[in-house]
C-alpha cells in the first residue's frame, strides 16, 4: 500500500506542477498591456480549468477509448463535440470578463484577452501537448511490452533448446558408456595385463563424458586427448586387426569447442566400421585454419543398402544445428568400402 500511495502522490504532484505552470503561462501572457491583476487572475484560472477538463477528457477517455481502440470515426465525432465545447467556453470566458470586470466597456479590455483566436490557440496548444504526450507514452509502453514479450519468447526458445540439448547429452552418455564398457569387458575376459592402464583411461573418459560434457565449451586439446585415449582402448581390443592414423595440426591450444563434438564420430567409426582383408582402417585429421576447425575421419566399411546411422551420429547432427546453427558444414558420404565424414566449424 505504501508504494501505491507514493506513486499516486508523485503523479498528483507532477500534475499539479504542470497545471500551475500552465496557469502561470496564461497569467503572464494575458497580463501584457493590463494592470487589472484581479481580472487576469480569474481569466487565467478559468482558461486553465477549461484546459484541464478538456485535456483529461482527451487523455483519459477519447484517446484510449476511441483513437487507440481503432474507433477513428467516433474519435473524430467526439473531438468535434469537444472543440465546440471549448470554443463556447472560451467565448463565455471573454464575455465574463467583458461583463463583470469592465462593465460592458469592450475597449478597456486588454487586447489579448478579447482576441478569441489567440485564446483558442493557447488552449488548443495545451490540449495538443497533453494529448501528444499521452500518445507518445502509449507508444513507448507498447514498444516496451512488445520488447518484453519478444525477450520472453526468446528466453523460452533458449530454455527449450537447452532442455533439448541436455536430452541429447543424456542419450550420448549411456550410448557411449555401453560401447566403452564392452571394450573393457573384452579385456577382462582375456585377463590382459593392460587392464589397469585401460581402466585408468576409461576413468578419464568417464570423467569427461559425465562431468565435462555439461560445460558449454571445453578446450579442443582436451577433446583430442580423450580421442587418443579412446583410440588407445580400441587398439588394445583390436590388436593387429586395427590400423589408425590420427594427424593433428592445432597450434592454438586455447581454442574451445562444444564437448563431445568429435568423439562420437570416432566412436561411430569403430562401432560401425568393418574389417576388410582382416583389418579395420581408420584415418583421422584435425586442423585449425584461421577461424575454422576442420575434422575429417574415414573408416573401412561394407556399405549395406538402406543402412541407417547410429544414435550417436544422429544426435551429433542435432547438436551441431543447435550449437552452431549455420556456422558449420557436415558432409557424410559412403564410397566403395569406405565411410567418410568431413566437418567444418567456424570458431
Amino acid at each position: 500500500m505504501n508504494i501505491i500511495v507514493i506513486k499516486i502522490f508523485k503523479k498528483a504532484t507532477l500534475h499539479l506542477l504542470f497545471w500551475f505552470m500552465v496557469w502561470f503561462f496564461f497569467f503572464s501572457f494575458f497580463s501584457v498591456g493590463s494592470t487589472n491583476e484581479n481580472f487576469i487572475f480569474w481569466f487565467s484560472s478559468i482558461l486553465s480549468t477549461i484546459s484541464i477538463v478538456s485535456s483529461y477528457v482527451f487523455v483519459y477517455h477519447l484517446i484510449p477509448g476511441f483513437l487507440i481502440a481503432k474507433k477513428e470515426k467516433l474519435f473524430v465525432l467526439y473531438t468535434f463535440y469537444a472543440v465546440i465545447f471549448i470554443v463556447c467556453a472560451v467565448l463565455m470566458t471573454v464575455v465574463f470578463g467583458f461583463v463583470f470586470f469592465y462593465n460592458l466597456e469592450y475597449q478597456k479590455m486588454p487586447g489579448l484577452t478579447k482576441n478569441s483566436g489567440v485564446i483558442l490557440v493557447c488552449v488548443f496548444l495545451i490540449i495538443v501537448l497533453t494529448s501528444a504526450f499521452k500518445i507518445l507514452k502509449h507508444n513507448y509502453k507498447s514498444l516496451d511490452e512488445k520488447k518484453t514479450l519478444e525477450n520472453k519468447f526468446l528466453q523460452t526458445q533458449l530454455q527449450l533448446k537447452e532442455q533439448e540439448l541436455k536430452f541429447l547429452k543424456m542419450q550420448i552418455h549411456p550410448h557411449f558408456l555401453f560401447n566403452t564398457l564392452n571394450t573393457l569387458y573384452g579385456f577382462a575376459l582375456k585377463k590382459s595385463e593392460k587392464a589397469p592402464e585401460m581402466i585408468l583411461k576409461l576413468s578419464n573418459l568417464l570423467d569427461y563424458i559425465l562431468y565435462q560434457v555439461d560445460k558449454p565449451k571445453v578446450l579442443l586439446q582436451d577433446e583430442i586427448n580423450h580421442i587418443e585415449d579412446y583410440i588407445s582402448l580400441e587398439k588394445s581390443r583390436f590388436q593387429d586387426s586395427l590400423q589408425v592414423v590420427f594427424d593433428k595440426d592445432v597450434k592454438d591450444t586455447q581454442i574451445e569447442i562444444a564437448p563431445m563434438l568429435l568423439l562420437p564420430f570416432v566412436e561411430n567409426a569403430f562401432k560401425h566400421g568393418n574389417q576388410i582383408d582382416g583389418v579395420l582402417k581408420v584415418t583421422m585429421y584435425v586442423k585449425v585454419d584461421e577461424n575454422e576447425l576442420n575434422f575429417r575421419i574415414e573408416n573401412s566399411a561394407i556399405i549395406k543398402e538402406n543402412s541407417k546411422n547410429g544414435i550417436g551420429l544422429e544426435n551429433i547432427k542435432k547438436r551441431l544445428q543447435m550449437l552452431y546453427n549455420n556456422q558449420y558444414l557436415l558432409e557424410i558420404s559412403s564410397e566403395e568400402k569406405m565411410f567418410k565424414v568431413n566437418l567444418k566449424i567456424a570458431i
Side-chain angles (χ1 to χ4, degrees), residues 4 10 24 35 50 59 65 84 154 166 168 177 193 198 242 244 247 268 289 347:
I4 297 175
K10 287 183 177 179
F24 185 76
T35 56
I50 296 171
V59 169
I84 292 176
L154 291 174
K166 287 181 179 179
L168 292 174
L177 279 172
E193 294 179 356
M198 283 193 61
L242 175 65
V244 179
D247 292 328
N268 187 77
D289 185 13
I347 55 175

Side-chain angles (χ1 to χ4, degrees), residues 233-242 270 275 280:
L233 289 172
E234 295 296 343
K235 281 183 176 179
S236 299
R237 180 164 70 97
F238 281 94
Q239 299 295 327
D240 296 334
S241 61
L242 175 65
F270 284 101
Q275 293 182 3
L280 171 62

